[in-house]
Amino acid sequence: MDNEQIIHEFLLKFKGFKKGAKMHLTDTIKREIVKDFHFNTDDAINSILNSGYFKLETHDAVSLTDEGFEYANQTHY
């Protein structure tokens, strides 16, 4: 799974959440997106943080920017 797919799937995890909702990065990527506890998340996290869709809240949690919120709540198939 490439970083673009991970970003897309991570955005969809926020679908239906209220603005300001936070989600853990590493745990969500490893457990729910790639489903591999040994996956190296460094590149994926850098891509997520540089995408403009997320803002870092704590050392391992993010919330959505306005653009990310809009993307997450569009209909995607």
Side-chain angles (χ1 to χ4, degrees):
M1 183 175 283
D2 67 23
N3 290 341
E4 253 183 57
Q5 291 172 305
I6 292 172
I7 290 169
H8 176 76
E9 292 298 321
F10 200 80
L11 280 162
L12 294 181
K13 294 284 180 196
F14 281 92
K15 188 174 181 95
F17 286 22
K18 292 184 177 183
K19 272 192 174 181
K22 297 175 184 139
M23 196 172 295
H24 289 280
L25 276 166
T26 307
D27 216 33
T28 304
I29 293 168
K30 286 183 176 187
R31 290 178 187 265
E32 299 178 27
I33 297 174
V34 296
K35 297 178 173 119
D36 177 0
F37 293 110
H38 301 291
F39 182 77
N40 183 343
T41 58
D42 293 346
D43 285 341
I45 288 173
N46 283 332
S47 292
I48 285 169
L49 295 177
N50 292 327
S51 71
Y53 293 126
F54 303 93
K55 57 184 170 185
L56 189 63
E57 296 289 343
T58 63
H59 76 283
D60 192 46
V62 293
S63 63
L64 295 175
T65 62
D66 290 340
E67 187 178 351
F69 185 80
E70 197 174 298
Y71 183 96
N73 287 291
Q74 291 175 357
T75 304
H76 296 280
Y77 298 97

